[in-house]
Amino acid sequence: MANQKTGLVSGTNSLDLGLRVNLNQVISPMVSMGIRTLVARNQTNMTQSTSLLGGSSLITALSAIPFENMGENPYSWRDDYNDDSYTWRVIPQGYFDFNFTPWLKANVTAGMDYVNKERYRWMGKNIEKGALENARAGHSWMQTMMYNVSADVTFTKQFGTHWLQVIAGGELFGDDGIKLSNYASGFAIQTLKAKAINFASRAANP
């Protein structure tokens, strides 16, 4: 799956890529297994947010009349601001089904949700906050992981006209993550908008 969109404001766009893999396999009359995996990639080049309409600050600025009341030229947010975001997401899941007898069955399922996101921002000197610092560059990074493992055993038996079903099981789950954010000032060169923000962030936190 691939989906590319251009926003209403010049310079804004997004790209979504996705790959899904499903596999179901009968190993024996008693055992079957399956794997389901989703891999997704998202890229955005927006202003102030990841919305296709742009951020509320940009929409407010471009719709303000007269511009002088804003304290800065609203088009500076379009031309002197950059906000690139890159996200990877991987969601694998696997299971085993065991059919020991017609009345005794078991299932084991394990899954994970992994997200890695990086965001690069740059404010030029024509934006008030950027002007105060001779342009500002920043880099933020987030990595999270959630996992889940469950197992259960099901006993189902008919006694005459009555049925008895007993289910016993357990679940193990958890999550972990890390977030980092750095910025640096004094990087007023336009080419920093796309390529050197990462360097700027490391300069702020060597």
Side-chain angles (χ1 to χ4, degrees), residues 70-87:
M70 295 295 298
E72 61 186 20
N73 189 332
Y75 288 105
S76 297
W77 282 95
R78 182 193 65 185
D79 302 329
D80 239 27
Y81 181 84
N82 207 76
D83 187 354
D84 293 322
S85 178
Y86 305 91
T87 303

Side-chain angles (χ1 to χ4, degrees), residues 129-181:
K129 191 170 184 179
L132 294 175
E133 302 180 4
N134 190 30
R136 178 186 176 107
H139 171 225
S140 60
W141 172 64
M142 177 188 76
Q143 186 179 75
T144 62
M145 183 185 70
M146 296 183 292
Y147 61 88
N148 177 283
V149 179
S150 64
D152 60 75
V153 178
T154 303
F155 173 86
T156 305
K157 189 72 172 178
Q158 184 179 12
F159 299 93
T161 59
H162 302 283
W163 286 89
L164 173 65
Q165 185 177 68
V166 179
I167 301 175
E171 185 177 24
L172 174 67
F173 59 89
D175 62 82
D176 193 13
I178 185 173
K179 295 181 180 180
L180 298 173
S181 181

Side-chain angles (χ1 to χ4, degrees), residues 121-136:
R121 302 179 72 185
W122 181 83
M123 292 183 181
K125 293 190 293 183
N126 291 321
I127 297 176
E128 183 177 359
K129 191 170 184 179
L132 294 175
E133 302 180 4
N134 190 30
R136 178 186 176 107

